[in-house]
Amino acid sequence: MGRDIDTIQFTREDRRRYREKVKKCLRVLEGLIDSGRFSTGRRTLGVELEVYLTDERAQVLPVNAEVLAALASPDFQTELAQFNMEFATPPRPVQGDCFVQVEDELRQSLVRASAKAADFDAHVVMIGILPTLTDFDVTEQNLSTNPRYKALNDAILNARGEDLIIHIEGDETLSTVTNSILFEAACTSMQLHLQVDPDDFARYWNAAQVVSGPLVAMAANSPFFLGKRLHHETRIALFEQATDTRTEELAEQGVRPRVWFGEKWLTEGVLELFEENVRYFPSLLPITEATDPDEILASGDIPRLEELTLHNGTVYRWNRPVYDIAGGRPHLRIENRVLPAGPTVIDCAANVALYYGLLAGLADTQAPVWPEMSFTAAEDNFFAAARYGIGAELYWPGIGMVGAQELMLRHLIPLARRGLEAWDIDSSDIDRYLSIIEQRAVSGRNGAVWQIEAFDHALESHGLSRAAAREAVTTRYTELHQQGEPVHTWPVTAGDALEDRS
């Protein structure tokens, strides 16, 4: 969904033509895979990070157009809401000091963005969901100006035929109705890409699905939304509901949601996922290009398969397949979308290292665990981790139900270490990043836990109102996030941010 579009009006003929073109792209993709045209032997990673823009009172500030214009760099991109933007690291091989390079680039980008944002009295904040968000913030008035966002907003609402219903039961319950998809913009995340060979895709995608639950448990950073304390990673449920094109009746009939964990392990390869997308999900943006992929292929070039990739970009799998072209050759990537942004750059880098280490550990250094684990168990892990965070009970083959902290300390950190060693990551970097994950597990404190504890402290020790407590906690979070120490070391007391409001 990163591409620009020229129209937001579509006819019935547009939809018919687009469906046929998507099917043709699917056939061409199958031919490319069967003929061995894909780039192979390159294991590269890339990271995308979404952030909030806030004012001095920890409220969202809709100035992304101004900040991006001042940055004037393709490394920084707009996002759905005017109070969000995104930056990315370039792809690089997974080896040596790659995670240090990612950490350095994320920090440099954050510093650059913060410096330009300051010219507009804005702060850049990495957090899953900003605790101070209000109903007024997540309305269509804050939609970014690029026409593709308006088109997507209208397409989802038109497909649904009624307002979106948001109902999340957690520590408290949130029930509300919205007439735009801006609730999705509340969810800022870190997306991790891994280029894999076509023959290896199923193995790595299955591994990514398996580790999604433990990753979310350790990295949860989104406990508040619209004044309610909900799930430790509320972003998961909120994103699913904020883009749901199904009415209640269609959901009851078993129609798949567009934000989707999936329903089975891959047994053959990436084509299974693209085929499911085409089979289950109608088009949202039926934009058909004039190019013919068969003719492009016959001429010796590689087609971009625009219709298929656009369609894929409107199906929000938590582990999404990506088709792309680089250096004149097509390649495949897995885009992991489960992690929230923040709390600090070093926390993000540790999460990155943990993810790739677990992928390597599960896919390359031991027998796969998914033959011993039902897909439903992996899905249950994912949603339990979103609900309870680092305190979740998760299932693991050969162990049974186990606390997320014990699972990480006794089994998954050693597994990630073996995986990173097998991929020739520098030993000092392995120690550095996995020690942060270890201390997070030992202390039981990730971003979500810190926010909850700091909020309770604000209420109980300082007698603040709930709204004032959320503001104070968000302000203190911003201060600590800028200082850059990992979240497990953060003091729970909210410092001057609370004292000033007492």
Side-chain angles (χ1 to χ4, degrees):
M1 267 306 299
R3 57 193 288 194
D4 292 336
I5 64 174
D6 300 319
T7 182
I8 59 174
Q9 299 296 325
F10 305 107
T11 66
R12 290 189 293 271
E13 177 59 20
D14 289 333
R15 296 185 183 282
R16 185 202 63 78
R17 187 186 307 115
Y18 181 80
R19 180 184 295 111
E20 294 306 312
K21 190 70 175 292
V22 167
K23 290 179 179 178
K24 174 180 279 193
C25 289
L26 190 60
R27 292 195 299 271
V28 171
L29 175 63
E30 183 176 15
L32 287 169
I33 294 173
D34 291 343
S35 61
R37 301 288 293 274
F38 275 80
S39 174
T40 58
R42 288 178 53 81
R43 187 168 54 232
T44 60
L45 70 86
V47 179
E48 299 172 288
L49 187 63
E50 299 164 353
V51 295
Y52 274 92
L53 295 167
T54 67
D55 64 16
E56 289 295 330
R57 299 295 294 179
Q59 310 296 317
V60 295
L61 196 61
V63 293
N64 69 352
E66 293 89 338
V67 175
L68 289 169
L71 286 163
S73 169
D75 296 335
F76 298 85
Q77 299 290 331
T78 187
E79 268 295 325
L80 180 64
Q82 294 180 49
F83 51 76
N84 296 140
M85 62 182 191
E86 178 183 85
F87 49 86
T89 68
R92 60 174 37 81
V94 188
Q95 62 185 30
D97 66 347
C98 62
F99 299 125
V100 172
Q101 295 176 37
V102 167
E103 180 188 348
D104 289 344
E105 287 172 359
L106 290 177
R107 184 173 289 107
Q108 291 168 18
S109 293
L110 188 64
V111 169
R112 287 176 61 195
S114 296
K116 294 300 182 182
D119 294 338
F120 303 94
D121 298 319
H123 295 288
V124 177
V125 182
M126 298 187 301
I127 193 168
I129 298 177
L130 199 73
T132 53
L133 273 175
T134 68
D135 290 300
F136 183 74
D137 296 325
V138 284
T139 55
E140 195 171 337
Q141 52 138 12
N142 276 332
L143 196 69
S144 287
T145 56
N146 192 306
R148 73 174 182 261
Y149 297 123
K150 172 65 174 172
L152 183 63
N153 179 79
D154 293 350
I156 288 175
L157 291 172
N158 289 337
R160 183 179 174 85
E162 59 186 52
D163 289 347
L164 293 158
I165 298 172
I166 308 297
H167 181 81
I168 303 174
E169 296 182 8
D171 293 350
E172 299 174 301
T173 298
L174 173 70
S175 290
T176 189
V177 176
T178 178
N179 60 2
S180 82
I181 64 169
L182 255 292
F183 277 36
E184 176 193 337
C187 310
T188 52
S189 63
M190 180 171 67
Q191 294 112 43
L192 309 181
H193 292 252
L194 177 68
Q195 180 177 332
V196 296
D197 295 356
D199 289 345
D200 296 332
F201 191 94
R203 190 168 79 253
Y204 281 99
W205 186 85
N206 288 344
Q209 294 286 94
V210 168
V211 305
S212 290
L215 279 176
V216 169
M218 295 306 299
N221 196 28
S222 313
F224 296 101
F225 181 58
L226 296 189
K228 302 285 189 179
R229 182 194 297 181
L230 300 169
H231 299 173
H232 280 234
E233 190 51 34
T234 304
R235 187 179 56 90
I236 301 300
L238 179 58
F239 191 80
E240 289 188 339
Q241 296 181 31
T243 53
D244 197 348
T245 57
R246 306 170 303 164
T247 60
E248 180 180 335
E249 294 83 359
L250 291 177
E252 289 291 333
Q253 293 170 29
V255 173
R256 280 83 172 174
R258 295 191 88 96
V259 179
W260 199 28
F261 189 79
E263 60 189 16
K264 62 185 179 66
W265 302 119
L266 290 190
T267 57
E268 297 178 10
V270 67
L271 206 64
E272 294 177 74
L273 298 181
F274 283 107
E275 287 174 340
E276 284 182 350
N277 286 357
V278 174
R279 184 183 313 123
Y280 296 142
F281 302 106
S283 66
L284 290 180
L285 300 172
I287 303 167
T288 304
E289 304 292 339
T291 55
D292 185 314
D294 287 323
E295 292 179 0
I296 293 172
L297 203 56
S299 72
D301 290 332
I302 300 297
R304 303 209 70 86
L305 306 182
E306 291 96 340
E307 293 80 9
L308 186 65
T309 57
L310 176 60
H311 185 57
N312 185 58
T314 63
V315 179
Y316 305 98
R317 293 178 182 271
W318 291 110
N319 286 289
R320 183 157 65 182
V322 177
Y323 168 89
D324 205 350
I325 300 172
R329 296 196 68 186
H331 69 261
L332 294 172
R333 301 196 305 270
I334 296 170
E335 180 190 21
N336 178 278
R337 303 163 53 82
V338 308
L339 287 169
T344 65
V345 170
I346 187 63
D347 284 306
C348 289
N351 293 340
V352 171
L354 176 65
Y355 171 66
Y356 290 104
L358 289 176
L359 279 193
L362 285 176
D364 286 352
T365 66
Q366 70 170 44
V369 299
W370 45 93
E372 305 169 21
M373 183 179 191
S374 71
F375 193 88
T376 299
E379 184 179 25
D380 289 345
N381 279 353
F382 180 64
F383 289 110
R387 173 67 180 85
Y388 299 106
I390 205 166
E393 292 284 317
L394 306 177
Y395 173 81
W396 197 258
I399 301 172
M401 299 302 296
V402 60
Q405 293 167 264
E406 181 180 350
L407 177 63
M408 188 61 55
L409 290 168
R410 291 184 178 274
H411 303 282
L412 297 190
I413 289 176
L415 176 64
R417 179 177 295 277
R418 293 195 296 272
L420 293 173
E421 290 171 347
W423 280 6
D424 295 323
I425 303 301
D426 289 350
S427 59
S428 59
D429 295 343
I430 296 174
D431 292 340
R432 179 170 183 249
Y433 294 119
L434 292 187
S435 69
I436 290 172
I437 302 298
E438 180 181 15
Q439 290 306 308
R440 200 187 296 166
V442 168
S443 67
R445 180 177 294 162
N446 55 18
V449 170
W450 183 88
Q451 290 183 57
I452 291 168
E453 290 180 346
F455 179 75
D456 289 344
H457 176 77
L459 294 179
E460 296 165 7
S461 299
H462 293 267
L464 298 185
S465 69
R466 289 173 62 93
R470 288 193 301 275
E471 181 181 328
V473 169
T474 307
T475 299
R476 181 60 170 157
Y477 178 102
T478 303
E479 294 170 355
L480 293 168
H481 139 74
Q482 291 170 344
Q483 292 171 16
E485 294 300 317
V487 70
H488 71 267
T489 68
W490 288 10
V492 170
T493 55
D496 294 340
L498 277 180
E499 298 297 340
D500 292 345
R501 290 164 175 79
S502 295

